[in-house]
Amino acid sequence: MLQFNAQEMTKIKSKASADIIQQLIDDNQVVLSSDTLVPPDARATWNLYYFCPDHSVRLDWQRDKSTEHCCPVDGKVFTGEPYDGAWWRGLNGLNAKACNELGLLWHLTGEDHYFDKVREILLGYATYYPDYEEHGGIPYNGPGKANAQTLCEANCNLDFARGYDFIRDGLNSEDRTYIETRLLCEGAEFLMQHRSDQLHNHEMKISATVGIIGLIVNKPDYIEFALNSNYGLIYQLEHGVNQDGLWFEGSIHYHYYALQALLAFEKIAHHTAYSVKLQPNYHKMLAFPLQLISATGDFPRLNDCIAGQEKLNHTHIFEFGYQQFNDPLFAQALSTIYQDTPRNNIEALLYGVDQLPASEPIACHAIHAPLSGLTILHNEASQNMMLLKHSPYGGEHDHYDRLGVILCRQGKEIIPDLGTTGYGAEMHYGYYKNTVTHNTLAMNQKNQPPANPTTVNFKKTDSFTYISTQVDWSQSIQELDSHTIVQWDDEAYKAVTFRRSILWLTAEDSLNNVAIEINQISNPHQQQLDLSWHIRGYLDPTQQEAEFKPVTTPFDGPLQRMTDCHVHQLTQVTPYRFTIAEQADFNMHLFSQQECEVLTGQAPDNPATSDLSYLMLRSQSPLFNAVAVHDLSTCVPLQNVAISWEKDKLHIELTRNEIKATFCIDIAKDEVIKNI
């Protein structure tokens, strides 16, 4: 066995608790208690089709219901495609996982029926695998054989290989040859043929799987391809990671997904001359996203992030990472993970140190990372936080939301990033992955083209932090070395510039719970601009100071599904009050230098089992300047908000509890020139 030597396996067996062994049995009970089922042909498609089209939640996969697929929200049963094919993809994943975990269980218990099940599964796939027909059609993805995309092929073959490594020494030579030639090498050759020449998390996983198979079956050409070829693991590390250590795709989930692939290879290669431990971006990738923990305690749902993927639960990364680097930050990550759950899992058993040091959990803190284009403004006492996204375009898994914001009050998202749902569900492309469903600027309700924002100014004082960023769609950007599909509208954003500045108050007084947002838009072709926020609460149009009037749906595209739409004309500073579950009301104040419409309505949250409220400024002015004051107090709301915009001077006066603060911002110089 290559994964662990005899001494390591002896130690693992001595540490394995009865709970761990029972967990492995329970997690694989459906495979153990069922006849081995392997698809005889290429009927498996894509696991991300296995989502309810109404609620955008994953369907309830059941081993004994290959043609009935139930929504966990309302119990509705779906039949036929794409659900049947996705069910078979789920089965392939279940079988592959069982090979790895039952192979380990055989070593821990010595019970031969675990060995027999792994052998039976591997021989079953080896029987059919060479004759599986290539099939695919998944956006952004190459084809598969057992599955419908190259990435899924890599995921399954990785676990087949690890399971084979666990039981190889117990197999006769005929079985070893059959499995190696007809499944593992056949799979590696297919993956090598279909790995794309691009920077991408997929290529990381594909290369890692090829390398693991090469290590296990002693194929140096596989290892060379995986590690050192163009777009192999080393190339991806050197070209796909910025100087901060953030993966170029800009999604924290896909950052760790790419890293997970690298660690899967390293967990075997660290015994060999092929270890990647000394690659400098390896450690940086482990560390950097831990600086981006939100006030909620989770990662922000930036870009493609399905509900649940924002959780810091990466034992498979940080148990091994801490063992390799002894970095206190990784011990903190583990301390955070184990706040509410015991350290009694497979990753800790296989790769963890015997005793973790006492460490404080990782908490949200302010960070300005202009290379990564992420700035977090944070008040530790109140757990208020604002994140401004000014990141460079990241390709397939990016969202079209340059200069988008997230706002938390007392550790709860008030203005969230919704992330997305399963990519095969209609609401992924139809709703979540669109500019208008983010807290940013949309022109003609179309998606923003790729752009790389610039940081104009950043200043931090004892009483405030000020950041100003700008995106200019008249500036071309270097083509990304990653395959993309055009899902944006260049004409809608022609010659448009958008500057968003945030004044975050930090003085220790009753006015510190305020974020002031200044938006400047140049719209030379006078197209329809919509500046949007969605608030996780309810705005009752009949209970506002503004005189809202009902309006038929004023949107096309993703927001056609909006209900309860109302409109009024904004002519002065106007407050808006939102009812927030389990918190005090949330108040926003809007001002625009030019007369505009304010639109509101209800549209889906994520998951789509509930709605949130949209608030939107609409104008066709060639120059549009607007201010949003976010009142984050849960006690006494602001009693007065006065705003005036005179030429290049913006004056803002705020009053709470008879305490008054006045700010003057020089728009031409883009800086706070006075605050009292």
Side-chain angles (χ1 to χ4, degrees):
M1 179 171 53
L2 189 59
Q3 294 176 79
F4 305 101
N5 59 36
Q7 182 180 0
E8 288 170 332
M9 185 49 70
T10 297
K11 182 177 181 181
I12 289 168
K13 290 169 70 173
S14 70
K15 289 169 55 180
S17 66
D19 288 344
I20 284 283
I21 291 172
Q22 190 60 50
Q23 176 189 330
L24 284 165
I25 295 170
D26 293 345
D27 288 349
N28 293 278
Q29 190 59 49
V30 68
V31 174
L32 290 168
S33 60
S34 306
D35 292 338
T36 298
L37 179 61
V38 173
D41 50 38
R43 63 184 64 184
T45 57
W46 195 25
N47 54 323
L48 292 179
Y49 285 141
Y50 213 67
F51 278 74
C52 173
D54 301 322
H55 303 104
S56 297
V57 296
R58 196 178 297 273
L59 299 174
D60 182 18
W61 192 95
Q62 295 292 328
R63 169 66 173 75
D64 60 345
K65 294 183 178 179
S66 62
T67 58
E68 296 180 7
H69 319 286
C70 183
C71 172
V73 176
D74 61 4
K76 182 177 179 180
V77 174
F78 297 89
T79 59
E81 296 297 347
Y83 312 106
D84 288 356
W87 184 93
W88 285 94
R89 168 62 184 94
L91 178 73
N92 283 339
L94 189 72
N95 285 339
K97 171 178 168 289
C99 282
N100 183 30
E101 295 186 356
L102 295 180
L104 170 63
L105 198 53
W106 175 56
H107 279 274
L108 297 181
T109 66
E111 296 180 20
D112 286 340
H113 64 106
Y114 300 127
F115 172 94
D116 294 340
K117 179 60 77 169
V118 178
R119 174 181 177 274
E120 189 175 2
I121 292 172
L122 291 173
L123 289 174
Y125 278 95
T127 299
Y128 294 115
Y129 196 87
D131 297 321
Y132 284 149
E133 294 181 1
E134 291 184 18
H135 59 297
I138 308 302
Y140 292 105
N141 288 281
K145 281 172 67 70
N147 307 291
Q149 64 164 345
T150 317
L151 175 66
C152 291
E153 211 68 18
N155 280 322
C156 287
N157 277 286
L158 191 154
D159 273 340
F160 288 148
R162 290 191 290 200
Y164 172 73
D165 186 52
F166 275 127
I167 71 163
R168 175 174 51 183
D169 292 344
L171 294 169
N172 62 41
S173 60
E174 182 180 350
D175 284 350
R176 287 199 297 269
T177 300
Y178 195 77
I179 293 167
E180 288 187 11
T181 57
R182 293 181 60 85
L183 178 58
L184 300 183
C185 292
E186 184 84 15
E189 297 284 347
F190 179 83
L191 293 174
M192 292 166 69
Q193 180 184 353
H194 291 285
R195 193 189 72 187
S196 295
D197 288 346
Q198 65 165 343
L199 297 173
H200 204 282
N201 69 83
H202 289 191
E203 317 322 321
M204 289 282 276
K205 181 59 70 76
I206 292 164
S207 294
T209 300
V210 172
I212 287 167
I213 292 172
L215 288 166
I216 289 172
V217 304
N218 193 24
K219 291 276 191 177
D221 55 327
Y222 290 4
I223 304 169
E224 179 66 21
F225 175 88
L227 202 57
N228 296 316
S229 64
N230 278 346
Y231 298 98
L233 293 174
I234 301 301
Y235 185 97
Q236 298 280 338
L237 268 176
E238 292 177 346
H239 295 85
V241 182
N242 70 20
Q243 292 180 27
D244 289 333
L246 185 65
W247 181 245
F248 80 98
E249 292 182 271
S251 161
I252 298 171
H253 165 67
Y254 280 104
H255 175 103
Y256 279 130
Y257 190 77
L259 187 58
Q260 171 191 334
L262 189 68
L263 262 71
F265 176 82
E266 179 66 10
K267 285 173 181 177
I268 297 178
H270 77 283
H271 286 301
T272 74
Y274 300 106
S275 171
V276 297
K277 180 181 178 180
L278 297 182
Q279 293 295 319
N281 281 340
Y282 176 31
H283 179 273
K284 289 165 76 172
M285 282 188 77
L286 281 161
F288 178 72
L290 295 173
Q291 299 183 64
L292 303 176
I293 290 291
S294 169
T296 64
D298 300 323
F299 292 114
R301 283 191 197 175
L302 299 170
N303 301 325
D304 278 352
C305 178
I306 297 172
Q309 292 175 340
E310 75 278 11
K311 301 295 182 183
L312 175 55
N313 54 13
H314 305 69
T315 56
H316 58 293
I317 287 175
F318 292 110
E319 287 286 2
F320 184 71
Y322 183 68
Q323 181 209 75
Q324 276 202 307
F325 292 102
N326 195 32
D327 188 325
L329 180 62
F330 305 156
Q332 275 191 276
L334 292 168
S335 176
T336 308
I337 293 168
Y338 295 130
Q339 285 181 100
D340 302 312
T341 186
R343 187 180 179 228
N344 192 23
N345 59 70
I346 296 168
E347 295 296 325
L349 170 67
L350 298 182
Y351 306 110
V353 299
D354 291 340
Q355 185 69 40
L356 290 173
S359 301
E360 289 295 319
I362 293 174
C364 180
H365 65 273
I367 178 176
H368 175 54
L371 284 176
S372 298
L374 295 170
T375 296
I376 292 176
L377 308 165
H378 180 242
N379 184 309
E380 183 177 357
S382 62
Q383 283 302 301
N384 295 335
M385 184 207 83
M386 181 174 254
L387 181 148
L388 175 61
K389 176 187 173 184
H390 47 107
S391 56
Y393 176 62
E396 172 195 354
H397 289 296
D398 206 337
H399 285 193
Y400 311 104
D401 65 328
R402 304 278 80 74
L403 308 192
V405 295
I406 299 171
L407 187 65
C408 295
R409 184 181 68 174
Q410 293 191 342
K412 178 175 181 176
E413 282 188 334
I414 299 292
I415 300 180
D417 188 318
L418 299 179
T420 192
T421 184
Y423 307 155
E426 185 277 331
M427 288 187 73
H428 171 59
Y429 290 118
Y431 183 71
Y432 294 114
K433 197 181 175 77
N434 290 277
T435 299
V436 294
T437 54
H438 291 78
N439 306 301
T440 187
L441 170 70
M443 305 299 295
N444 295 339
Q445 293 281 296
K446 303 299 184 182
N447 286 340
Q448 297 175 356
N452 293 341
T454 57
T455 301
V456 181
N457 193 8
F458 179 80
K459 183 177 183 179
K460 187 171 184 179
T461 73
D462 290 339
S463 57
F464 67 83
T465 301
Y466 181 76
I467 178 172
S468 180
T469 58
Q470 178 170 297
V471 57
D472 183 350
W473 281 285
S474 67
Q475 301 294 314
S476 60
I477 64 171
Q478 184 176 354
E479 186 174 348
L480 193 66
D481 190 12
S482 190
H483 304 333
T484 56
I485 298 172
V486 175
Q487 296 172 312
W488 56 83
D489 190 319
D490 289 305
E491 280 300 308
Y493 292 82
K494 186 176 181 180
V496 171
T497 62
F498 174 33
R499 181 172 295 193
R500 174 166 269 177
S501 307
I502 308 294
L503 180 60
W504 179 263
L505 306 188
T506 56
E508 291 301 323
D509 57 41
S510 62
L511 282 169
N512 68 344
N513 294 313
V514 175
I516 300 170
E517 182 187 318
I518 305 151
N519 300 282
Q520 301 165 255
I521 300 161
S522 174
N523 179 22
H525 300 291
Q526 295 185 257
Q527 304 194 74
Q528 176 184 292
L529 66 86
D530 292 316
L531 191 61
S532 300
W533 300 267
H534 50 240
I535 294 85
R536 193 161 273 149
Y538 177 64
L539 183 148
D540 185 344
T542 67
Q543 300 297 314
Q544 308 298 317
E545 289 186 16
E547 294 185 6
F548 277 105
K549 295 180 180 179
V551 62
T552 55
T553 305
F555 305 105
D556 54 18
L559 292 183
Q560 288 185 77
R561 63 194 83 212
M562 187 175 285
T563 60
D564 194 25
C565 298
H566 288 73
V567 64
H568 82 89
Q569 295 293 316
L570 183 64
T571 57
Q572 59 185 353
V573 180
T574 304
Y576 304 88
R577 187 176 70 258
F578 299 83
T579 303
I580 306 294
E582 301 177 355
Q583 276 198 3
D585 291 350
F586 170 64
N587 295 282
M588 281 179 65
H589 300 256
L590 295 182
F591 163 85
S592 68
Q593 192 177 23
Q594 297 77 23
E595 187 172 329
C596 67
E597 288 184 328
V598 178
L599 295 157
T600 186
Q602 302 290 303
D605 199 340
N606 189 8
T609 52
S610 61
D611 285 344
L612 39 63
S613 295
Y614 278 71
L615 193 62
M616 183 179 296
L617 299 180
R618 172 169 288 182
S619 174
Q620 290 182 302
S621 174
L623 292 172
F624 184 71
N625 299 319
V627 178
V629 176
H630 304 286
D631 184 359
L632 298 174
S633 173
T634 56
C635 299
V636 180
L638 289 169
Q639 289 137 347
N640 181 60
V641 177
I643 302 173
S644 62
W645 197 313
E646 301 169 2
K647 294 184 179 180
D648 288 336
K649 298 294 189 294
L650 173 61
H651 298 273
I652 302 172
E653 182 179 285
L654 308 176
T655 306
R656 191 191 332 263
N657 282 337
E658 300 182 357
I659 298 173
K660 183 182 295 184
T662 303
F663 301 89
C664 179
I665 299 170
D666 188 318
I667 297 300
K669 295 180 179 179
D670 199 42
E671 62 179 6
V672 181
I673 59 173
K674 184 175 65 175
N675 69 290
I676 300 173

